[in-house]
Amino acid sequence: MAIDPLQALQAANRPGVSVTTAGTLLIAGATGALGQELLRRLAGSHRYAHARVLSREPIRDGMRGVESCLSPGLPIAQWPLTSADTAVIAFDPPRLYHDRERALWVPQPSDLPELSRWLRACGVRTLAIVQPHDQGKLPEALKRGIASLDEQAVVANGFDRVILVRSARKPLNAKFANPAERLAAWMLSVVRFMVPSSEQPVRASKVAELVDVALRIAPPGVHVAAPELVWESAQGDVHAVARRWLGLAG
């Protein structure tokens, strides 16, 4: 069932929760199942004194301490600066049947270098990037390291912590011009049965849980979670998997 962004914010506005706050959180890409789970879990945790969501249009804020951060119709480099300590970028397209998601700003992979520079200029010290990849198509050599020049540019910005989570996703629905293309796609789809279980897609709620844990405990540095690790974290003790991934004792 789809999660309404406003409902997610309102549901998290529960009195009587006392936690140590961790500055201001800014979420870019709070759309789709993944973006909404990240919004629900991170904004609802009350660990952050404030949470901001990048939007294309003004939206009615739904909870105390959470607000929309308007992205003007300009290149990212010309955006006015805001302030944040932690930022999350999620690449998940909006569900167009969900009216409220149309108002949210949706980052594209090509925006990553410029967006990360803007976030660093806003004071962000910890950046988490959740980048879905088509299952079974990410080269082995790139699963656990920096996968592109754009990601190298992100790391070069000088963040204290960069957390890259590579989650598997089902291939996007394609439109075919003729029956021959449809037949060829069906024949190629047989390959999905050869994809190891550890590279199968993971529920958005489980990916968001791993990101949440990593933001809590990750030491300084660059940390890359391969699709297999994301899948493993969803099978049992996410804290134990995260601690082993992040090189923490115990």
Side-chain angles (χ1 to χ4, degrees):
M1 181 173 59
I3 301 174
D4 187 306
L6 184 58
Q7 290 178 346
L9 299 181
Q10 290 172 331
N13 189 18
R14 300 186 182 96
V17 179
S18 177
V19 295
T20 301
T21 57
T24 297
L25 169 72
L26 179 62
I27 300 179
T31 57
L34 176 58
Q36 285 302 296
E37 282 293 341
L38 288 165
L39 174 62
R40 182 190 66 80
R41 176 172 285 272
L42 297 177
S45 68
H46 295 276
R47 287 192 296 111
Y48 298 95
H50 302 281
R52 298 190 175 106
V53 180
L54 278 174
S55 65
R56 296 186 298 109
E57 305 169 9
I59 59 175
R60 183 162 58 91
D61 302 324
M63 67 174 284
R64 182 177 62 254
V66 175
E67 58 189 24
S68 57
C69 181
L70 196 62
S71 58
L74 298 169
I76 296 173
Q78 298 178 31
W79 287 3
L81 298 181
T82 183
S83 61
D85 304 282
T86 300
V88 176
I89 303 173
F91 296 101
D92 201 10
R95 297 161 291 192
L96 296 181
Y97 59 83
H98 205 307
D99 288 340
R100 295 189 186 281
E101 290 193 10
R102 297 177 186 176
L104 299 176
W105 187 74
V106 183
Q108 302 299 321
S110 59
D111 293 326
L112 188 56
E114 196 172 7
L115 179 59
S116 66
R117 284 192 292 271
W118 180 77
L119 290 170
R120 187 66 193 90
C122 291
V124 171
R125 305 298 304 182
T126 293
L127 175 62
I129 302 168
V130 188
Q131 175 67 76
H133 294 272
D134 288 345
Q135 62 188 70
K137 292 188 177 181
L138 187 65
E140 194 69 31
L142 301 181
K143 289 180 180 179
R144 297 168 182 81
I146 302 302
S148 67
L149 292 175
D150 285 350
E151 291 183 356
Q152 290 181 19
V154 171
V155 172
N157 284 323
F159 295 97
D160 290 347
R161 302 187 300 169
V162 175
I163 299 167
L164 291 163
V165 176
R166 308 195 192 287
S167 61
R169 68 179 175 193
K170 294 180 180 179
L172 299 177
N173 293 330
K175 295 183 178 179
F176 306 107
N178 54 63
E181 288 186 1
R182 188 178 300 107
L183 175 61
W186 174 82
M187 294 176 67
L188 290 174
S189 71
V190 174
V191 176
R192 74 180 185 274
F193 296 108
M194 302 172 61
V195 176
S197 60
S198 60
E199 293 188 28
Q200 297 293 333
V202 173
R203 292 202 313 272
S205 60
K206 291 296 185 180
V207 178
E209 183 179 7
L210 176 62
V211 173
D212 187 18
V213 171
L215 287 173
R216 291 171 184 257
I217 69 175
V222 179
H223 309 282
V224 182
E228 295 91 339
L229 186 138
V230 178
W231 180 87
E232 182 185 359
S233 72
Q235 308 310 305
D237 189 340
V238 61
H239 290 83
V241 173
R243 291 186 68 83
R244 186 177 73 250
W245 161 42
L246 298 168
L248 302 174

